[in-house]
Amino acid sequence: MSESLAESLVHDYVENFSPGRGRERPRAGFTSDTPVVDLAGPWRFHLAAGLPQVTHGFQAADFDDSGWETIAVPSCWQMDGLPGEPRFGAPAYTNQIYPFPIDPPHVPDANPTGEYRREFTLPDDWPGGRTLLRFEGVDSCFAVWLNGTLLGDGKGSRLPTEFDVTDAVTVGRNTIAVRVHQWSAGSYLEDQDMWWLSGIFRPVTLVSRPDGALTDFFVHADYDPLSGDGTLRVETSGAPALLTVPELGITDADPAGPHTVPGVTPWSAEQPRLYEGELVTAGERIPLRIGFRRIKVEDGVILANGRPLFFNGVNRHEWNPDTGRSLSREDMLTDVLLMKRHNINAVRTSHYPPDSVFLDLCDEYGLWVIDECDLETHGFVLVGWEGNPSDDPRWREAYLDRMRRMVERDKNHPSVVIWSLGNEAGDGCNLEAMSAWVRDRDPDRLVHYEGDQNCRYTDVFSQMYAEHGTLALIGPGQEPTAPDPALDTRRRTLPFILCEYAHAMGNGPGGLTEYQELFESHPRLHGGFVWEWMDHGVRRLAADGRAFFAYGGDFGEPVHDDNFVCDGLVFADRTPSPGLTEFKKVVEPVRITVDTDARTVRVRSLLHTVDTAHLRFRWSVEDDGLTRGDAEFAVRPVPAGSATELSWPEELTKLCDGPLEKGQERWVTVTAELAGDAPWAPAGHEVAWAQATLAGPAPAPALERPLAPVRTDGTYSLGPAVFDAVSGTLLSLADLPVDGPRLDLWRAPTDNDLRTWGGPVAEAWRKAGLDRLEHRVVSVRPHGGGLEVTTRTAPAGADFAMRTVFRWEAYSDTTAAGHLRLSLTADPVGTWPCPLARIGIRLALPRDIETVDWFGLGPGEAYSDTTAAARVGRFTAHIDDLQTPYALPQENGNRREVREAWLTDSRGRGLVITGSPFLDLTVRPWTSEDLDAARHTTGLRPRDRVYVHLDAAQQGIGSGACGPGTQPQHQLFARPVTLTIGFRPC
């Protein structure tokens, strides 16, 4: 082909509807003993601004590329140079909006184009037969030359593409040239909520397909739950083959079988049993990992191996903060292990097929997978779906091609139980065509697509971000009717999946417990998938060298969606967030109930497949957080889906019957942990736990007669405390400087506060003026029993307020410094127009306070609707470790139901705080205003004070950034509050 014709094809393939030319038919992803040349490593690279600026003749074998840059393959070119300055363009983030005009299939002239070159050597002993050049992923479209010969072009970024290079490759030195375009017609089908990144970002290999090798194969491994028999048949094409599976007694057999094998162990996420085998032809040996299982819908319920299938799942984008969508096996293994260790049993591969290594790991370690096609046209929603490719026949082949390539690559993975057509691509004939094709090709799996709300061509009814009330209607089949009566009738017979919910952006998500209770109340509800697994922060360095995670807008994008890309259960560096800890507790597969009255423990198994023989159970007893005793106790294995109840062990009963000092709390904790090492966690890993108390909260200590205040030089001295005589402000406590306290109704808005559906609650807070409260001292009244300070707190321009009375009393006690008690009452005046962020007080202490010990809920942060994972105990942390480093700084670090806290410096001196009723406690080295103003964690600088919040209550968290806001029972409306707080030096 002439050079001029080849160059003209550039313009043709970039903006045509074709998914590609010159490509091989899609096939299963597999390895064999045939030779492979790994083309990973440094490639020569040149970035052109667009098509007119491309390098003519760069594909020639003798082209001089010595002046070009070098780039790693695989990689995303916009990530090169980070965490410093990117060398080749920069990442750009949008959620819905296309970063180019909607003019399908056309793209802008400003179309960054990466030109790659690489030399490789084909060994002398390379086998005869065919040789394929395989690209696992190239974004967004590309053309390929080998030794100057044009092989073809392709689109479909997160799908494999193969070219037959048999006639172009030679023994010895070869030159491969690839031209990759950031924008193409295919970009209209790839508007997933993620960074726009480009390049050869997955592996590239040269693969030998010798004479006598298979072209493709399809493993069908069915399991009959009634008989326990497995039925194995393998479709093969390309060459005669023999099947051997030693564990099943199959040797050199016809792969087509069918081979009936009695008593097989079925594959499941809890018991990912894989039988090792191989296919042997005259030209190669292909290892197999076979998992027997059956997925079907029966009576409106999804069954896996005959038992209802429930998803405690997450949506997973591929991400690494330094390399973008180019992941190592270690990255993927870390994801799988973290999921397993946090009771996650399922993954939706949002919104494209992952690197096939991830599916290998899901097969091996056990995760149910919804494999989703590389398809999203979400940006068309902004133009009323006008011109949406999903209903345009010109795009049909592109849609079908994407579905074929996913299914053919991943069809032999037992972990894949549902095919998803894509995400947020509207509705239309092309989606129906995809569904029809996959039903014909693979009738043994289910078809999912959330956009088909009438369920014309799907096997499950699916929604995203349904509110709790909506879910309560869907569970019993009482959802609103579909327009077509026939479709409505069918839809009500289908199982339901919440494919996205509990948007895990920043502090949150809240409301997980309420969701789980609904899921478990109706057989039709099969659980859901939290959005999403991890933050997509990009690691950057601030001017002072400190690292932070960048998000939308940090690279100067003209259109972007800010930090909406940071919405994961793990942070961008794969550190678990408090939300992941909460999710682990909410979805724990074994439910333990401790009854301190009946002296029993009930164990209910929500496991799908296995009994609880892999778990051991332990009890412990703590008095005021101090351990009195602990031991293991025997629980006979509980079958999946069953429950048992047993009496307390004698030792536990005896210990709990022992004396309890006046005012102490005695807590019994029962845990379930791994009895032995599992592939995904060591022995002793905690899977589930529960607590119960034998005594109520400690009463306020009996104090002596209160002391009278003494007026001296503009201050009042009250026992160990000194107050300003005019404002009534506490100045010091036993020589410890104190600023405050003042009533506080504000918090630095969380992501869920800032983006709440139906109107951001943070906007209502600012409009009401919670962030700019004015304080007026109404009176300072000393009396024989202490000091009473009355204040009125209100925003400027408002006639609503809070009237607060601070009643200070001091007592002499066994400590020389004495004890100070604050009885606080706060009453609303007028009608407040919105919920409050918090009701409590804020004070400041010297910066040398650095450690917090507390008795209450912990060890992590918790709010009223994110408390499931918090347990009663005695905990300690450095103040720095009490802060949660959300990508966008916001309210964080609250500890709930604190009975007593010790705030101390390095010498153990400081302040003891007690609460009655319990306190919410937050301690931080900066103010709420600092949090509110900062754009990144590096924008926070410790001040010369430590700021302490002591709250009666805080507004819940919800998941309003994308989904329902705070549930009514967790909303904090202005109401009278009474709080008693004790202070004493230590």
Side-chain angles (χ1 to χ4, degrees):
M1 181 178 294
S2 69
E3 180 177 322
S4 60
L5 177 58
E7 293 297 341
S8 69
L9 284 177
V10 169
H11 300 274
D12 178 44
Y13 76 78
V14 170
E15 294 189 327
N16 67 23
F17 296 101
S18 168
R21 291 170 295 198
R23 306 167 305 153
E24 289 292 287
R25 293 183 60 182
R27 63 181 176 92
F30 62 88
T31 60
S32 74
D33 62 351
T34 58
V36 173
V37 176
D38 184 359
L39 295 176
W43 289 47
R44 290 292 188 179
F45 182 75
H46 170 256
L47 184 64
L51 296 176
Q53 294 81 28
V54 296
T55 306
H56 297 283
F58 92 110
Q59 66 270 32
D62 59 355
F63 177 81
D64 182 6
D65 58 18
S66 59
W68 283 16
E69 304 279 356
T70 299
I71 197 170
V73 171
S75 73
C76 305
W77 74 57
Q78 292 90 346
M79 301 294 290
D80 194 281
L82 296 170
E85 290 304 310
R87 299 170 63 207
F88 307 114
Y93 166 63
T94 65
N95 171 25
Q96 294 181 351
I97 187 171
Y98 288 106
F100 48 80
I102 298 179
D103 182 25
H106 305 295
V107 295
D109 292 339
N111 186 5
T113 299
E115 296 174 325
Y116 294 78
R117 286 175 53 86
R118 159 78 190 251
E119 290 186 358
F120 67 90
T121 300
L122 192 72
D124 294 340
D125 58 353
W126 191 258
R130 301 171 71 225
T131 299
L132 304 180
L133 179 60
R134 183 177 178 89
F135 294 84
E136 298 292 345
V138 183
D139 193 324
S140 74
C141 80
F142 65 113
V144 187
W145 292 261
L146 184 61
N147 297 326
T149 299
L150 177 65
L151 303 175
D153 56 74
K155 302 186 187 78
S157 298
R158 285 150 284 278
L159 294 159
T161 304
E162 286 186 322
F163 300 96
D164 188 333
V165 300
T166 306
D167 296 334
V169 73
T170 62
V171 171
R173 179 178 173 274
N174 293 265
T175 301
I176 181 173
V178 184
R179 180 172 282 150
V180 182
H181 309 273
Q182 178 164 5
W183 309 125
S184 70
S187 301
Y188 286 98
L189 308 185
E190 297 175 2
D191 188 28
Q192 293 95 333
D193 176 10
M194 60 186 181
W195 292 96
W196 294 93
L197 298 173
S198 316
I200 305 172
F201 71 95
R202 284 184 184 165
V204 184
T205 52
L206 196 73
V207 183
S208 170
R209 307 305 299 142
D211 295 330
L214 286 179
T215 303
D216 198 7
F217 65 93
F218 193 169
V219 176
H220 301 272
D222 183 42
Y223 173 75
D224 185 345
L226 296 179
S227 67
D229 292 348
T231 302
L232 176 63
R233 60 185 181 89
V234 183
E235 300 176 30
T236 60
S237 59
L242 294 175
L243 172 67
T244 295
V245 188
E247 290 180 274
L248 302 179
I250 299 172
T251 304
D252 295 336
D254 179 359
H259 304 280
T260 300
V261 186
V264 298
T265 300
W267 187 97
S268 72
E270 296 163 10
Q271 193 175 39
R273 181 65 163 94
L274 296 171
Y275 291 89
E276 304 288 337
E278 66 176 4
L279 288 169
V280 180
T281 72
E284 69 180 337
R285 307 178 79 90
I286 300 173
L288 302 179
R289 298 199 305 177
I290 301 163
F292 291 89
R293 52 125 185 87
R294 177 182 292 179
I295 306 297
K296 63 182 297 187
V297 174
E298 191 173 288
D299 297 327
V301 175
I302 302 174
L303 301 179
N305 305 326
R307 296 186 56 82
L309 179 55
F310 191 90
F311 298 113
N312 293 316
V314 292
N315 286 275
R316 176 185 176 270
H317 269 291
E318 295 185 301
W319 189 251
N320 177 292
D322 303 304
T323 60
R325 283 194 288 281
S326 296
L327 269 62
S328 67
R329 186 181 188 278
E330 289 69 28
D331 290 333
M332 293 180 264
L333 179 59
T334 297
D335 286 346
V336 169
L337 295 180
L338 278 172
M339 290 175 190
K340 295 289 290 186
R341 291 169 184 171
H342 287 86
N343 295 331
I344 291 166
N345 71 353
V347 178
R348 176 177 174 231
T349 68
S350 54
H351 299 294
Y352 43 82
D355 189 307
S356 58
V357 172
F358 180 76
L359 296 181
D360 291 338
L361 295 170
C362 292
D363 292 342
E364 180 180 349
Y365 289 91
L367 288 167
W368 306 106
V369 174
I370 297 181
D371 201 0
E372 191 149 272
C373 193
D374 188 9
L375 175 64
E376 181 167 334
T377 64
H378 202 176
F380 282 89
V381 72
L382 302 177
V383 293
W385 293 109
E386 184 69 28
N388 181 25
S390 294
D391 205 34
D392 184 341
R394 294 177 298 174
W395 294 91
R396 178 165 300 187
E397 182 53 35
Y399 274 60
L400 289 171
D401 176 78
R402 289 168 183 256
M403 197 69 192
R404 290 190 197 106
R405 286 156 69 193
M406 175 180 72
V407 170
E408 298 296 358
R409 189 197 74 167
D410 297 342
K411 62 197 173 195
N412 295 322
H413 287 283
S415 57
V416 176
V417 294
I418 297 177
W419 301 116
S420 181
L421 305 181
N423 183 71
E424 293 177 318
D427 196 5
C429 60
N430 295 332
L431 290 158
E432 292 188 64
M434 294 168 72
S435 176
W437 180 87
V438 74
R439 288 173 187 276
D440 180 68
R441 179 61 173 139
D442 183 21
D444 296 330
R445 290 181 173 98
L446 307 181
V447 176
H448 167 274
Y449 177 63
E450 178 270 337
D452 179 20
Q453 283 297 289
N454 292 318
C455 299
R456 298 195 315 276
Y457 45 88
T458 54
D459 297 315
V460 295
F461 180 26
S462 176
Q463 287 189 356
M464 52 178 67
Y465 307 110
E467 296 194 19
H468 298 77
T470 300
L471 202 61
L473 293 175
I474 293 173
Q478 298 172 2
E479 68 270 17
T481 58
D484 186 317
L487 290 175
D488 182 73
T489 299
R490 178 178 181 271
R491 191 181 71 180
R492 291 177 196 276
T493 67
L494 296 181
F496 178 84
I497 293 172
L498 199 54
C499 67
E500 293 180 21
Y501 82 111
H503 193 259
M505 187 175 182
N507 190 337
L512 287 172
T513 296
E514 290 82 358
Y515 268 122
Q516 198 71 10
E517 289 171 349
L518 286 166
F519 287 148
E520 296 175 14
S521 298
H522 304 282
R524 185 191 191 193
L525 303 182
H526 286 267
F529 296 79
V530 170
W531 186 266
E532 65 173 299
W533 172 240
M534 73 182 300
D535 287 356
H536 304 203
V538 177
R539 197 189 313 271
R540 298 299 308 275
L541 297 178
D544 61 1
R546 291 192 297 161
F548 67 95
F549 292 113
Y551 45 74
D554 285 335
F555 294 95
E557 307 99 299
V559 293
H560 63 85
D561 284 289
D562 206 55
N563 68 315
F564 207 64
V565 76
C566 294
D567 48 11
L569 291 173
V570 300
F571 298 137
D573 60 359
R574 288 180 163 77
T575 299
S577 77
L580 182 58
T581 305
E582 179 82 354
F583 190 59
K584 174 188 178 182
K585 174 59 180 171
V586 169
V587 303
E588 58 189 10
V590 175
R591 299 289 166 77
I592 303 169
T593 304
V594 181
D595 189 327
T596 55
D597 293 326
R599 303 296 174 94
T600 60
V601 174
R602 186 173 189 267
V603 178
R604 180 165 68 99
S605 171
L606 300 181
L607 292 163
H608 175 272
T609 304
V610 301
D611 61 24
T612 60
H614 65 294
L615 300 176
R616 64 180 177 224
F617 292 81
R618 301 188 64 87
W619 58 263
S620 66
V621 175
E622 293 179 335
D623 290 351
D624 272 10
L626 301 176
T627 301
R628 289 281 310 281
D630 61 77
E632 186 176 336
F633 70 103
V635 177
R636 284 185 294 181
V638 181
S642 299
T644 190
E645 188 171 278
L646 61 153
S647 299
W648 284 7
E650 181 179 352
E651 184 182 358
L652 173 58
T653 300
K654 183 178 180 180
L655 192 60
C656 287
D657 285 341
L660 185 65
E661 293 187 19
K662 183 178 180 180
Q664 282 191 324
E665 297 179 50
R666 176 166 290 165
W667 286 85
V668 178
T669 304
V670 176
T671 60
E673 61 187 31
L674 291 179
D677 291 342
W680 46 271
H685 169 78
E686 185 178 271
V687 173
W689 61 271
Q691 277 188 320
T693 184
L694 280 88
L703 300 173
E704 301 173 8
R705 184 174 179 176
L707 303 174
V710 177
R711 176 73 180 261
T712 306
D713 296 329
T715 63
Y716 285 110
S717 296
L718 184 62
V722 176
F723 296 84
D724 183 90
V726 176
S727 66
T729 302
L730 178 63
L731 301 177
S732 66
L733 178 63
D735 297 325
L736 181 73
V738 179
D739 298 336
R742 276 186 166 183
L743 185 71
D744 194 9
L745 308 177
W746 166 255
R747 73 183 183 200
T750 68
D751 285 304
N752 292 304
D753 296 334
L754 289 165
R755 298 173 180 263
T756 314
W757 284 11
V761 67
E763 184 178 302
W765 289 345
R766 292 188 197 277
K767 184 177 180 180
L770 297 189
D771 59 332
R772 49 181 175 81
L773 296 175
E774 300 287 347
H775 304 268
R776 179 172 65 85
V777 177
V778 176
S779 65
V780 177
R781 189 173 67 87
H783 54 84
L787 184 69
E788 183 177 283
V789 181
T790 302
T791 65
R792 188 181 190 274
T793 301
D799 62 353
F800 47 84
M802 294 293 287
R803 182 181 177 86
T804 308
V805 178
F806 297 79
R807 296 182 179 89
W808 296 98
E809 298 172 313
Y811 302 84
S812 61
D813 60 9
T814 54
T815 65
H819 184 102
L820 182 69
R821 184 171 72 181
L822 168 63
S823 297
L824 180 143
T825 59
D827 293 287
V829 177
T831 302
W832 284 77
C834 61
L836 306 180
R838 63 177 3 121
I839 302 178
I841 60 173
R842 169 170 136 178
L843 57 102
L845 300 175
R847 183 64 184 94
D848 53 1
I849 298 293
E850 60 182 31
T851 303
V852 180
D853 298 86
W854 75 98
F855 175 44
L857 291 180
E861 74 179 26
Y863 295 79
S864 63
D865 57 349
T866 62
T867 304
R871 65 184 79 188
V872 176
R874 196 171 289 269
F875 307 98
T876 186
H878 191 280
I879 287 178
D880 292 345
D881 297 326
L882 293 173
Q883 318 308 311
T884 305
Y886 296 112
L888 175 69
Q890 57 196 270
E891 164 62 37
N892 71 89
N894 186 62
R895 267 60 181 179
R896 295 200 69 215
E897 297 186 8
V898 173
R899 286 83 160 148
E900 193 166 26
W902 296 259
L903 282 64
T904 56
D905 62 18
S906 59
R907 293 172 290 180
R909 298 186 303 184
L911 191 63
V912 180
I913 301 173
T914 58
S916 177
F918 306 144
L919 297 167
D920 273 21
L921 171 69
T922 309
V923 184
R924 52 175 62 116
W926 36 68
T927 66
S928 296
E929 292 76 15
D930 294 335
L931 282 170
D932 189 23
R935 183 170 169 81
H936 297 99
T937 53
T938 49
L940 294 170
R941 294 285 184 174
R943 289 180 176 247
D944 60 356
R945 295 286 188 273
V946 168
Y947 297 89
V948 181
H949 293 266
L950 305 173
D951 294 316
Q954 270 206 59
Q955 169 91 348
I957 297 298
S959 60
C962 189
T966 304
Q967 294 297 289
Q969 65 271 31
H970 299 296
Q971 292 179 347
L972 179 60
F973 291 97
R975 57 178 172 83
V977 165
T978 300
L979 191 59
T980 301
I981 307 172
F983 300 91
R984 70 176 187 271
C986 61

